[in-house]
Amino acid sequence: MLFRNDKKHNRDTTANDQLPLLPLRELIVFPHEVYPIFVGRQKSIKALEVAEAQKKPILLAAQKDARVADPGPSDIYAVGTLGVVVQLLRLPDGTVKALLEGKKRARILRYVADDEFFKVEVEEIEEVCDRTTEVEALMRSVNATFDNYVRLNKKIPPEMVTSIAAVDDPAYLADKLVGHLGIKLEDKQSLLECANPAERLERILGYMRSELEILEVEKRIRSRVKKQMEKTQKEYYLNEQMRAIQKELGEKDEFKNEIQELEEKLRQKKMPAEAREKCEREIKKLKMMSPMSAEATVVRNYLDWFLALPWFEYTEDKLDIQEAERVLEEDHYGLDKVKQRILEYLAVQTLVGQLKGPILCLVGPPGVGKTSLGKSVARATGRKFVRVSLGGVRDEAEIRGHRRTYIGALPGKVIQSMRKAGSGNPVMLLDEVDKMSTDFRGDPSSALLEVLDPEQNNTFNDHYLDCDYDLSKVMFITTANTLDRIPRPLQDRMEIIRIPGYTEAEKLQIAKKYLMRKQREANGLKEENIEFSDKAILGIIRHYTREAGVRNLEREIAAVCRKVAVEVVKTDRNARVKISASSLPKYLGPAKFRYGVAELEPQIGAATGLAWTELGGEILSVEVTIVPGRGKLTITGQLGDVMQESAQAALSYVRARAEALGIAPAFHKIDIHIHIPEGAIPKDGPSAGITLATALVSALRRTPVRNDLAMTGEITLRGRVLPIGGLKEKVLAAHRAGIKTILIPKENEKDIEEIPQQVLKSVALIKVEHMDQVLRHALVLEDPDAFFKTPPVEPVFAAEPDEKDQIVEDEDEESAPVSTNLS
């Protein structure tokens, strides 16, 4: 239904008039303006209908809070606009669309009680404005400002400028402008309540200028955004054109794709802030380079290393101690100290949760399983394993890398191994750490100081990366044959665990549990094709190998397996060959070593000593012969300075004790020659002192030395026997050679507990403190007590020349052979 009122409301409203009230939400109606509104509240619809029916004005006042659904007098502003209903249209959903026109300002005097709608008594607000010069100037300023405002604000049509400029009434101008300003409802209400048109114009001018500033800023922002979008669109368009051209030519922009791949990898890679910042800088440089330049290749390689390294990738440790112990026992026989240390680490890791990786140094002869033990440790702990061979390394850059300025520069072996491992906590084996050397290019052992220092290696700085890398979670295991060549500061940073040689019983078990199965499978034999008896394995150990480890033992077993493989292929694939001790010469040839005593029978002037070498313990034969001469001492056998000094000390002791030992003091008439066989092998150390003294006394007294006895110990000028090192290895060597009795310094008694019990059962250890005790046990004497009471024995020669004949004898010395018979 449509109601239309075309008649004009000409009568004035007085204070006694009671008019309907329409509360408005989010809307202020000003005089002289027409507003379309939608009304849904029943009270408001009733008020509109009454005003329309009675041809009365209606007061249009705004609510203070639009969220209030049923407002009261306190929720409505006191000043509103008297308006008329131009048109009413009832919609199907029950709401009403009304077209209202504002007429005059009015103030609510009081509310009249009415249940159907709001009814109020109002009074009109008179507007007084003199057309002064100031008002004219204000109107012009407002018009000019509105012109600029419309030019910037695209929401207002340009025709509105002409419509506003045609208004000559200040009050009408002010009310007409308010509707086009985007100001708050409270500000519009204050303008409605202002009765002075000039004051309203000033406020509107201020609002428009504020809006102009905002619009200017928005314009600048839009301009910048537009330019950027145009640039982006231009680049996109050109790139698409380039891509299309390359597609037509069958080419691809590989360089750009590579950069995108690097950026994507960098986004996904977890790394420290310092490393990420370096990568971002390098990628930025790479974008500005030519793809064909040499520098671009260097930068790409540099980025590849950064992105390939495991910065925060770690494997989870297996903390099951029983399982770790089972794995270690499965892979290696013996080596209890190392296994115990690994289990201790796992136990502490279980309790603490976070522990720096241990740094172990395994020292022992070749072939005892130092290198393979590193793999077992990695398997037992669930970590990755990497091996770094340091044998022959002489350049410091091999450890810490080269700087990027060099052509073909690469990181050092440590960082390369971390990339190879792919985790930040591997087991890293630094093999043969004692084989490094030093030259003008630097000292690699000094570079290892930072790597193997738990307090420093969390910020290890490789020269190539030039960025800190955390090595604190790496489990380092180093191996060496001897500690002599490892600098003391480097030794101080490692936990040293000595691994001695194996006994015969241990070698037998290792061969049966590990070596035989390994070589049988390596040579394609089945378990039923070959069988070794225990005596055959012992025969190989005793007669075909002489070593502390089992490397040569494995080679000999492999040789037997190869020959058996030939027999199996020639005869029957299911043939069974049993290897016994008597059949060893058939497969391995004649025995290479003599097993048993060092000498077949007691000898005069020959004693058996014990030595420690990088290969483990060895027996050492010492020979002394006496010839006529003038008191000259000759020492041969490629002996070091320390060993030569031991020989001098031994001779001085014998000369000092000559009378007590039954030796006539005629040393000025004889020459003494001391020789230690295997002259091609360098020998050094003080532990052969008592052996040298025993051989000297035996030669001078013509008393044989026991052939089933060996000895070791340092001698002083007064005959005291001082302690030595490597006792376990020396005892094992004597045991391998079939020695039954060993003389050791008494002060080495503390080291006996390291010797296996099965060895101690077959070898007698005699502890001595003085050289007299050594001679009592070492020499073949019918009555040891009577030995030291025997009158001095002086060597007798064919003729003793007088002083006057000395020159003649000297002249004939070269032509006439001298007898070496000292009897």
Side-chain angles (χ1 to χ4, degrees):
M1 183 180 294
L2 181 65
F3 302 96
R4 188 172 182 82
N5 184 6
D6 294 328
K7 295 183 181 180
K8 298 211 177 169
H9 299 263
N10 293 323
R11 71 182 185 88
D12 294 333
T13 303
T14 64
N16 295 325
D17 288 342
Q18 295 181 358
L19 301 176
L21 169 66
L22 178 62
L24 301 174
R25 291 178 175 177
E26 299 290 345
L27 179 64
I28 303 290
V29 175
F30 283 87
H32 316 297
E33 292 297 309
V34 178
Y35 297 88
I37 64 171
F38 290 88
V39 182
R41 290 182 291 200
Q42 292 302 316
K43 281 188 176 183
S44 299
I45 294 173
K46 187 64 177 176
L48 286 171
E49 290 176 347
V50 169
E52 172 65 22
Q54 298 180 4
K55 310 299 182 188
K56 278 185 177 184
I58 184 171
L59 183 64
L60 307 170
Q63 287 183 202
K64 295 178 181 178
D65 188 354
R67 293 171 296 179
V68 178
D70 188 14
S74 61
D75 297 321
I76 302 172
Y77 285 109
V79 177
T81 302
L82 288 174
V84 295
V85 180
V86 178
Q87 191 180 58
L88 273 181
L89 179 63
R90 186 175 293 277
L91 301 176
D93 60 355
T95 60
V96 172
K97 180 182 179 182
L99 193 63
L100 305 175
E101 181 182 0
K103 293 296 185 180
K104 290 184 179 181
R105 285 173 171 77
R107 181 180 288 105
I108 299 174
L109 297 179
R110 73 182 184 88
Y111 283 83
V112 180
D114 194 322
D115 295 335
E116 293 186 351
F117 56 89
F118 286 110
K119 187 181 291 185
V120 293
E121 291 182 0
V122 300
E123 68 172 356
E124 294 181 2
I125 298 174
E126 296 294 334
E127 300 183 46
V128 179
C129 181
D130 298 331
R131 294 293 297 270
T132 62
T133 307
E134 184 179 350
V135 174
E136 290 291 340
L138 187 59
M139 291 176 66
R140 291 184 182 181
S141 296
V142 168
N143 283 322
T145 305
F146 184 71
D147 187 15
N148 294 332
Y149 181 73
V150 172
R151 199 174 292 117
L152 294 175
N153 192 344
K154 303 300 181 183
K155 297 178 182 179
I156 304 174
E159 298 83 20
M160 191 57 64
V161 177
T162 306
S163 175
I164 293 295
V167 177
D168 192 41
D169 181 15
Y172 182 28
L173 177 63
D175 293 340
K176 195 170 183 66
L177 286 171
V178 173
H180 300 293
L181 299 180
I183 59 177
K184 296 179 182 178
L185 185 72
E186 292 80 2
D187 295 332
K188 288 184 177 181
Q189 180 65 30
S190 66
L191 288 172
L192 182 64
E193 294 175 0
C194 181
N196 189 342
E199 185 179 345
R200 290 207 302 273
L201 285 174
E202 286 187 14
R203 290 189 189 181
I204 290 171
L205 183 61
Y207 288 140
M208 283 197 297
R209 286 177 176 170
S210 298
E211 286 291 318
L212 276 174
E213 290 180 4
I214 296 173
L215 291 172
E216 288 285 352
V217 174
E218 289 181 353
K219 182 181 178 182
R220 289 197 296 269
I221 293 173
R222 281 198 304 270
S223 178
R224 285 201 301 267
V225 172
K226 183 179 179 183
K227 288 180 180 178
Q228 185 64 32
M229 289 181 63
E230 288 176 352
K231 180 181 178 182
T232 305
Q233 290 174 350
K234 180 181 178 182
E235 290 178 354
Y236 175 77
Y237 177 70
L238 292 175
N239 286 332
E240 287 297 321
Q241 278 189 326
M242 183 69 71
R243 197 172 288 112
I245 293 171
Q246 290 173 345
K247 186 176 180 181
E248 290 296 324
L249 295 175
E251 298 177 356
K252 292 178 67 178
D253 189 358
E254 296 181 358
F255 184 65
K256 187 172 182 180
N257 291 340
E258 185 178 1
I259 292 177
Q260 290 176 351
E261 289 178 8
L262 291 173
E263 290 176 333
E264 181 62 27
K265 287 181 181 179
L266 181 60
R267 277 193 295 270
Q268 298 177 359
K269 184 74 173 179
K270 290 183 179 180
M271 60 173 60
E274 180 188 3
R276 185 173 297 277
E277 184 180 347
K278 276 184 175 291
C279 288
E280 289 173 351
R281 284 203 306 266
E282 294 299 324
I283 290 177
K284 188 176 180 181
K285 284 166 53 179
L286 187 61
K287 288 179 179 178
M288 296 184 288
M289 294 178 185
S290 169
M292 304 305 294
S293 67
E295 183 65 19
T297 304
V298 172
V299 173
R300 280 198 294 263
N301 290 338
Y302 184 71
L303 289 169
D304 285 341
W305 275 102
F306 264 88
L307 296 172
L309 283 174
W311 297 93
F312 292 112
E313 292 86 5
Y314 301 109
T315 55
E316 186 175 354
D317 284 347
K318 292 181 182 177
L319 301 179
D320 187 346
I321 293 183
Q322 284 79 11
E323 176 64 16
E325 187 173 11
R326 185 194 67 79
V327 170
L328 292 173
E329 291 293 341
E330 179 182 321
D331 290 348
H332 288 83
Y333 184 84
L335 306 180
D336 295 329
K337 282 188 178 180
V338 187
K339 295 176 181 177
Q340 186 62 32
R341 181 64 184 86
I342 300 304
L343 296 179
E344 289 171 1
Y345 167 76
L346 293 176
V348 175
Q349 179 78 347
T350 304
L351 297 175
V352 176
Q354 184 65 32
L355 188 66
K356 291 182 178 179
I359 299 172
L360 309 179
C361 180
L362 309 182
V363 181
V368 296
K370 300 186 297 297
T371 302
S372 60
L373 186 63
K375 295 181 181 178
S376 298
V377 171
R379 193 161 76 92
T381 56
R383 296 189 175 198
K384 300 288 184 67
F385 175 77
V386 285
R387 175 179 170 271
V388 180
S389 178
L390 298 178
V393 172
R394 62 181 65 191
D395 189 355
E396 174 256 356
E398 292 284 336
I399 306 298
R400 305 195 63 170
H402 295 83
R403 302 195 183 277
R404 280 199 295 158
T405 52
Y406 297 104
I407 297 174
L410 284 173
K413 288 182 176 291
V414 175
I415 294 296
Q416 290 182 34
S417 299
M418 295 302 295
R419 177 179 179 176
K420 180 181 178 182
S423 72
N425 60 339
V427 174
M428 185 176 293
L429 181 75
L430 303 179
D431 211 5
E432 309 294 354
V433 73
D434 59 329
K435 304 299 189 299
M436 293 185 294
S437 56
T438 305
D439 64 3
F440 64 93
R441 287 169 289 190
D443 184 3
S445 61
S446 298
L448 278 178
L449 294 177
E450 182 184 4
V451 176
L452 300 180
D453 191 340
E455 301 301 324
Q456 299 181 41
N457 62 8
N458 61 332
T459 56
F460 173 69
N461 195 291
D462 187 271
H463 288 161
Y464 181 80
L465 297 180
D466 194 24
C467 179
D468 290 343
Y469 190 85
D470 187 4
L471 296 174
S472 62
K473 295 179 177 61
V474 179
M475 181 185 291
F476 287 102
I477 298 178
T478 65
T479 68
N481 296 128
T482 176
L483 289 176
D484 299 342
R485 300 176 186 173
I486 303 177
R488 291 295 302 175
L490 189 57
Q491 292 185 36
D492 186 58
R493 283 162 170 79
M494 300 184 292
E495 182 179 343
I496 296 172
I497 300 177
R498 295 185 180 275
I499 301 178
Y502 294 116
T503 62
E504 277 189 1
E506 288 174 335
K507 288 183 180 181
L508 177 63
Q509 294 300 322
I510 292 171
K512 291 170 67 176
K513 291 183 178 181
Y514 308 100
L515 303 182
M516 288 167 53
R517 182 179 70 249
K518 178 181 175 182
Q519 291 304 322
R520 188 172 60 238
E521 293 174 356
N523 290 280
L525 296 174
K526 299 177 183 177
E527 188 174 356
E528 58 269 15
N529 289 141
I530 185 170
E531 179 185 353
F532 283 87
S533 66
D534 289 356
K535 289 185 178 180
I537 298 174
L538 287 174
I540 296 175
I541 294 171
R542 292 172 177 175
H543 299 291
Y544 293 90
T545 66
R546 181 163 290 177
E547 58 178 347
V550 293
R551 194 166 286 159
N552 287 326
L553 175 61
E554 184 177 7
R555 290 194 187 101
E556 298 300 329
I557 292 175
V560 174
C561 289
R562 289 194 300 271
K563 289 180 172 59
V564 170
V566 173
E567 293 182 13
V568 169
V569 172
K570 283 183 176 180
T571 58
D572 183 9
R573 293 295 179 94
N574 296 320
R576 184 178 185 84
V577 180
K578 187 171 182 179
I579 309 300
S580 61
S582 59
S583 63
L584 288 178
K586 174 184 175 182
Y587 296 101
L588 299 176
K592 299 177 182 178
F593 301 99
R594 180 164 49 92
Y595 179 81
V597 295
E599 296 291 342
L600 295 177
E601 58 185 16
Q603 298 285 332
I604 295 175
T608 303
L610 297 173
W612 183 92
T613 69
E614 295 180 6
L615 303 177
E618 290 289 342
I619 61 172
L620 189 72
S621 297
V622 177
E623 297 177 350
V624 176
T625 186
I626 308 296
V627 295
R630 301 195 181 112
K632 181 181 177 182
L633 175 64
T634 303
I635 304 173
T636 58
Q638 202 173 348
L639 309 185
D641 293 339
V642 176
M643 202 164 189
Q644 292 188 34
E645 291 173 359
S646 294
Q648 295 281 358
L651 179 59
S652 297
Y653 161 76
V654 173
R655 294 182 67 175
R657 295 272 295 168
E659 187 174 350
L661 296 173
I663 300 172
F667 290 95
H668 64 284
K669 297 180 180 180
I670 60 174
D671 286 345
I672 299 175
H673 187 164
I674 300 175
H675 177 69
I676 299 180
E678 300 183 13
I681 301 175
K683 310 168 190 71
D684 204 358
S687 63
I690 63 173
T691 311
L692 291 165
T694 302
L696 284 168
V697 173
S698 171
L700 291 169
R701 276 296 307 263
R702 311 299 299 167
T703 303
V705 181
R706 289 174 54 185
N707 60 324
D708 63 344
L709 178 141
M711 63 192 78
T712 180
E714 181 180 353
I715 189 174
T716 68
L717 293 176
R718 289 178 285 181
R720 289 181 57 231
V721 180
L722 300 183
I724 44 81
L727 179 66
K728 180 180 179 181
E729 289 80 1
K730 293 176 179 178
V731 172
L732 292 179
H735 178 257
R736 286 196 299 270
I739 301 292
K740 300 301 181 183
T741 305
I742 304 175
L743 304 181
I744 65 171
K746 184 175 178 57
E747 292 186 38
N748 281 109
E749 187 175 6
K750 63 183 184 301
D751 300 321
I752 295 179
E753 62 180 19
E754 296 181 2
I755 303 172
Q757 288 298 320
Q758 62 266 31
V759 174
L760 293 177
K761 290 178 182 179
S762 58
V763 174
L765 299 181
I766 300 176
K767 299 177 282 295
V768 294
E769 294 180 285
H770 196 272
M771 192 63 209
D772 290 354
Q773 296 174 281
V774 175
L775 295 175
R776 287 176 182 272
H777 291 287
L779 298 178
V780 179
L781 302 173
E782 294 181 2
D783 185 3
D785 294 331
F787 174 76
F788 294 97
K789 299 176 182 178
T790 304
V793 177
E794 183 175 354
V796 179
F797 299 101
E800 293 187 7
D802 296 329
E803 290 184 2
K804 61 181 179 179
D805 299 326
Q806 184 68 39
I807 298 176
V808 176
E809 182 182 341
D810 290 343
E811 291 176 353
D812 298 334
E813 188 172 343
E814 293 184 2
S815 57
V818 178
S819 174
T820 57
N821 186 1
L822 301 180
S823 57

